[in-house]
Amino acid sequence: MQTMHLLQEAQQARQAAYAPYSKFQVGAALLTKDGKIFHGCNVENASYGLCNCAERSAFFSAIASGYRPHQFQELAVIADTAEPTSTCGPCRQVILEFAGAELSVLLGNLQGKTLRTTAFALLPGAF
């Protein structure tokens, strides 16, 4: 799958975000090794601890559909930011646990800027 296509999938997922408090919509697209794409968006709640990020939404959807750790090839994340968006700490831990250190992670913004990294580079000291 082409990288830009996965980023477009993430942008599509972003449209479903529920962010009435922050107004910060994030989308994610998770590509499995067998070619399936899972979408995720951030979902907010008045009790901020109950919110869920786009990245975790995508991974949890894949797990709920029967996928297991290390069956993932690439993750794309997009938001309306000046530079390519990055993932939060809890998402970094989830990404590493479910996908492994070598997962390709594509971070992007709506202006077309991208940054390719790995799960390990995002969280080198994970447990």
Side-chain angles (χ1 to χ4, degrees):
M1 166 164 295
Q2 292 183 332
T3 295
M4 294 315 292
H5 177 70
L6 193 61
L7 203 56
Q8 290 169 348
E9 292 282 336
Q11 188 167 352
Q12 177 185 339
R14 181 181 172 273
Q15 300 305 312
Y18 179 74
Y21 305 102
S22 71
K23 310 288 190 243
F24 185 68
Q25 297 176 300
V26 181
L30 177 62
L31 177 65
T32 65
K33 288 182 178 177
D34 65 359
K36 185 163 175 58
I37 296 174
F38 286 89
H39 294 113
C41 63
N42 57 318
V43 179
E44 294 180 349
N45 185 278
S47 175
Y48 278 102
L50 301 179
C51 297
N52 203 36
C53 297
E55 301 92 311
R56 284 182 282 155
S57 293
F59 272 98
F60 296 165
S61 178
I63 295 297
S65 293
Y67 284 84
R68 292 297 172 249
H70 306 289
Q71 293 184 320
F72 307 105
Q73 181 175 321
E74 186 173 17
L75 173 68
V77 183
I78 195 166
D80 189 7
T81 50
E83 296 298 321
T85 195
S86 193
T87 61
C88 70
C91 284
R92 292 174 187 209
Q93 180 64 39
V94 166
I95 292 166
L96 252 168
E97 184 168 332
F98 287 127
E102 298 305 315
L103 180 77
S104 175
V105 180
L106 181 63
L107 306 173
N109 70 8
L110 299 182
Q111 293 74 39
K113 290 184 181 179
T114 61
L115 173 68
R116 180 172 299 286
T117 188
T118 64
F120 178 80
L122 290 171
L123 189 62
F127 54 90

